[in-house]
C-alpha cells in the first residue's frame, strides 16, 4: 500500500502566489480538506477549510466543499488570500493636505487617525501608501522618504524627503537636534509655571507597548509653556529637543498633567465631572483622540541650506474643545489644584493596563526607526 504522505510536485507553473497540486492516489477516499492538510502541512486544516469556503480552492476547475471526496489524480488549484503585509508598500489614493512641496521635500499636515508607517494591524491605509500614490518615485527612497513620525491620533506637520540626499540631510538634522518642532496640547489639571522636563524615556517595565520615564532610557527633553488656564484644564505649548516615542505624552503624564483624550497615558475614568459644565462634559466625551497637534516645524532646507519654518492653524477639533473650556470659570490662584495621582508603576489610579486601547500605531514602536535617526516626535 502506498504511503499517504507521498511527496507531491506542482503539475504546472501556477500564477505567482497560487498553489497547484495533484492529489496522490494514496489519498483516495479522503475528504478534500484532510487530503490537502496532508499535502500542505505548513497550512492548518482550519485555514484550508476557510479557503475552500471562500471558493479559493478549485478541483478540476470546479467549486468544492471541505467534505468533497477525492479519489486520486485530481488537479487542485489554491489561490491563497493576499497577505495584508504585502500591501504595506503599495500606492493608495488617500488625500494629502500638502503645506509645501518642491523637488526636494514635502511638508504635510497629517490628520488625526492616519497612521504614518505600516506596522502590525495597519498594513494599508497609511501615509506611506498615500505618498507612493502622490509620488511613485518615492518607491526608490527608503521608507518612501519618511524621516519622523507622529502618532496615529496626533495631528499636524510632518516633513518627507523626496530624494535620498534630502533624506540623509533631514536624518542628520534630527540627530543633531536642529529641527525645530512645536506642539500644542490640552492637558488635565492646572499648570501654573513654564518649565522643562528632562527625563529619559524607555520601555515601560511591565507594559511593553508603552513608554515610561526610565533611568535606563534615552535622553528626552521637552520645554513647555502655559498659554491658557481653564477650570479643569490647561492649554500648553511644547517644544522638543529630542524626539522619543510618545515623548510629550509621557512627559505630561510625569507632570501629573496628562493630555486630554489620551487612552494610553491619560487619566482613565478620573474625570472631575462635578467641576465641569454640561457643555464641557459633552465636548470632552465627544473628543476621541489625544489633544496634541504639531503646529510648527522648522529645518534647514537640504538643497538651499536656508532655514525654513512652517506654522499651521490648530486642528479644528482642538479649537472647538478650547472654546468649550473658555466658558468655564478660570482658576483664581495656585491653590486651585487637581492631583491626578499615579501608582508606583507610573499608571493612573483607577485605570488598569488591560483597559488601555493600544492601537499600536501607533504606534508602531519601530525601534530601528528611532535608532537610525528617524524619530517619533512625541
Amino acid at each position: 500500500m502506498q504511503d499517504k504522505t507521498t511527496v507531491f510536485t506542482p503539475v504546472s507553473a501556477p500564477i505567482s502566489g497560487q498553489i497547484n497540486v495533484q492529489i496522490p492516489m494514496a489519498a483516495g477516499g479522503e475528504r478534500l480538506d484532510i487530503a490537502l492538510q496532508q499535502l500542505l502541512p505548513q497550512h492548518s486544516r482550519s485555514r484550508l477549510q476557510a479557503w475552500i469556503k471562500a471558493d479559493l480552492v478549485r478541483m478540476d476547475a470546479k467549486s468544492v466543499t471541505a467534505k468533497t471526496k477525492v479519489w486520486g489524480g485530481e488537479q487542485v488549484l489554491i489561490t491563497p488570500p493576499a497577505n495584508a503585509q504585502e500591501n504595506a508598500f503599495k500606492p493608495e489614493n488617500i488625500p494629502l493636505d500638502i503645506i509645501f512641496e518642491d523637488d526636494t521635500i514635502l511638508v504635510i499636515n497629517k490628520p488625526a487617525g492616519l497612521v504614518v508607517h505600516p506596522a502590525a494591524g495597519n498594513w494599508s491605509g497609511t501615509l506611506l501608501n498615500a505618498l507612493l500614490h502622490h509620488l511613485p518615485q518615492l518607491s526608490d527612497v527608503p521608507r518612501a522618504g519618511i524621516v519622523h513620525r507622529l502618532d496615529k491620533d496626533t495631528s499636524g506637520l510632518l516633513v518627507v524627503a523626496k530624494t535620498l540626499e534630502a533624506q540623509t540631510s533631514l536624518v542628520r538634522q534630527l540627530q543633531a537636534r536642529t529641527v525645530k518642532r512645536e506642539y500644542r496640547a490640552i492637558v488635565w489639571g492646572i499648570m501654573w509655571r513654564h518649565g522643562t522636563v528632562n527625563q529619559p524615556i524607555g520601555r515601560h517595565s511591565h507594559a511593553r507597548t508603552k513608554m515610561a520615564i526610565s533611568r535606563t532610557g534615552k535622553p528626552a527633553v521637552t520645554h513647555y509653556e502655559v498659554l491658557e488656564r481653564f477650570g479643569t484644564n490647561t492649554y500648553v505649548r511644547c517644544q522638543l529637543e529630542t524626539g522619543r516615542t510618545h515623548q510629550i505624552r509621557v512627559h505630561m503624564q510625569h507632570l501629573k498633567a496628562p493630555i486630554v483624550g489620551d487612552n494610553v497615558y491619560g487619566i482613565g475614568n478620573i474625570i472631575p465631572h462635578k467641576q465641569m459644565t454640561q457643555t464641557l462634559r459633552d465636548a470632552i466625551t465627544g473628543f476621541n483622540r489625544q489633544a496634541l497637534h504639531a503646529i510648527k516645524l522648522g529645518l534647514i532646507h537640504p538643497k538651499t541650506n536656508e532655514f525654513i519654518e512652517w506654522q499651521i492653524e490648530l486642528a479644528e477639533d482642538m479649537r472647538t474643545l478650547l472654546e468649550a473650556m473658555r466658558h468655564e470659570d478660570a482658576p483664581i490662584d495656585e491653590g486651585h489644584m487637581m492631583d491626578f495621582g499615579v501608582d508606583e508603576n507610573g499608571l493612573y489610579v483607577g485605570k488598569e493596563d488591560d483597559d488601555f486601547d493600544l492601537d499600536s500605531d501607533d504606534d508602531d514602536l519601530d525601534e530601528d526607526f528611532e535608532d537610525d535617526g528617524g524619530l517619533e516626535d512625541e
Side-chain angles (χ1 to χ4, degrees):
M1 184 168 179
Q2 290 181 309
D3 185 353
K4 289 192 177 185
T5 61
T6 301
V7 176
F8 72 94
T9 55
V11 299
S12 63
I15 298 173
S16 177
Q18 290 184 325
I19 303 170
N20 193 358
V21 299
Q22 184 177 41
I23 302 295
M25 300 303 294
E30 296 280 16
R31 288 169 38 137
L32 175 61
D33 59 340
I34 294 175
L36 287 178
Q37 206 281 319
Q38 293 172 350
L39 293 170
L40 304 169
Q42 68 272 34
H43 298 295
S44 67
R45 185 176 169 191
S46 60
R47 175 182 294 172
L48 291 166
Q49 289 174 338
W51 290 353
I52 293 170
K53 186 174 182 180
D55 202 25
L56 299 174
V57 178
R58 295 296 182 100
M59 187 167 70
D60 293 334
K62 297 179 181 178
S63 296
V64 288
T65 69
K67 296 180 179 180
T68 298
K69 292 289 185 180
V70 298
W71 304 108
E74 295 92 343
Q75 305 288 342
V76 178
L77 179 64
I78 305 173
T79 306
N83 186 337
Q85 190 168 349
E86 294 175 358
N87 295 321
F89 291 87
K90 291 185 178 180
E92 295 181 42
N93 187 8
I94 301 170
L96 292 174
D97 183 4
I98 299 173
I99 303 301
F100 174 85
E101 182 175 12
D102 62 11
D103 60 354
T104 305
I105 60 174
L106 182 70
V107 177
I108 294 166
N109 179 14
K110 186 192 86 68
L114 179 65
V115 173
V116 171
H117 195 277
N122 295 288
W123 292 118
S124 62
T126 70
L127 176 63
L128 182 143
N129 300 113
L131 289 170
L132 291 175
H133 180 270
H134 177 69
L135 295 168
Q137 65 268 31
L138 286 179
S139 60
D140 296 326
V141 182
R143 297 191 180 98
I146 295 171
V147 295
H148 67 129
R149 295 188 292 182
L150 300 176
D151 280 347
K152 175 182 177 180
D153 290 327
T154 298
S155 54
L157 292 172
L158 185 143
V159 63
V160 175
K162 296 176 71 172
T163 66
L164 185 58
E165 294 76 15
Q167 189 176 51
T168 300
S169 171
L170 292 173
V171 167
R172 286 175 178 170
Q173 291 183 54
L174 286 163
Q175 291 173 331
R177 303 183 185 179
T178 58
V179 176
K180 306 301 180 185
R181 291 161 289 176
E182 183 178 309
Y183 292 71
R184 297 286 192 273
I186 305 172
V187 302
W188 286 107
I190 311 303
M191 300 176 69
W192 293 94
R193 301 178 180 87
H194 311 321
T196 296
V197 182
N198 186 351
Q199 293 288 340
I201 292 176
R203 291 281 179 208
H204 195 285
S205 59
H206 68 272
R208 300 301 294 167
T209 50
K210 292 182 60 182
M211 309 303 288
I213 302 299
S214 170
R215 287 177 296 178
T216 60
K218 296 179 181 179
V221 180
T222 303
H223 305 285
Y224 61 92
E225 177 184 345
V226 174
L227 298 177
E228 287 186 75
R229 300 182 187 90
F230 310 107
T232 56
N233 303 87
T234 307
Y235 180 40
V236 296
R237 172 190 290 123
C238 296
Q239 292 181 299
L240 296 180
E241 276 195 26
T242 55
R244 304 304 174 206
T245 300
H246 304 171
Q247 178 172 318
I248 294 175
R249 299 165 65 188
V250 172
H251 278 173
M252 291 299 103
Q253 183 197 53
H254 175 72
L255 293 174
K256 297 186 179 181
I259 295 176
V260 170
D262 193 331
N263 289 330
V264 178
Y265 304 99
I267 64 174
N269 296 320
I270 314 174
I271 296 177
H273 291 289
K274 293 182 180 179
Q275 301 180 45
M276 300 160 57
T277 64
Q278 187 61 50
T279 299
L280 182 55
R281 292 179 203 169
D282 293 342
I284 293 288
T285 302
F287 197 84
N288 298 317
R289 55 106 168 188
Q290 62 252 16
L292 185 61
H293 180 72
I295 200 166
K296 186 183 291 187
L297 175 67
L299 51 85
I300 302 295
H301 191 281
K303 189 172 183 178
T304 66
N305 290 321
E306 295 179 355
F307 181 79
I308 307 179
E309 190 172 71
W310 300 270
Q311 181 166 344
I312 56 176
E313 291 187 358
L314 190 66
E316 183 177 357
D317 58 348
M318 288 181 63
R319 294 201 305 268
T320 301
L321 185 58
L322 283 176
E323 284 304 311
M325 291 178 174
R326 286 172 180 140
H327 289 86
E328 303 293 295
D329 292 334
I332 299 173
D333 55 43
E334 195 167 343
H336 185 98
M337 296 286 288
M338 288 183 293
D339 182 10
F340 297 108
V342 297
D343 64 17
E344 68 275 11
N345 297 311
L347 300 176
Y348 281 87
V349 176
K351 181 76 169 179
E352 297 295 335
D353 267 357
D354 57 5
D355 288 333
F356 288 125
D357 180 15
L358 299 177
D359 55 27
S360 192
D361 340 134
D362 183 332
D363 282 269
D364 39 275
L365 301 178
D366 182 0
E367 287 188 340
D368 71 299
F369 203 79
E370 181 169 311
D371 292 339
D372 67 12
L375 308 180
E376 184 146 6
D377 298 343
E378 295 170 25

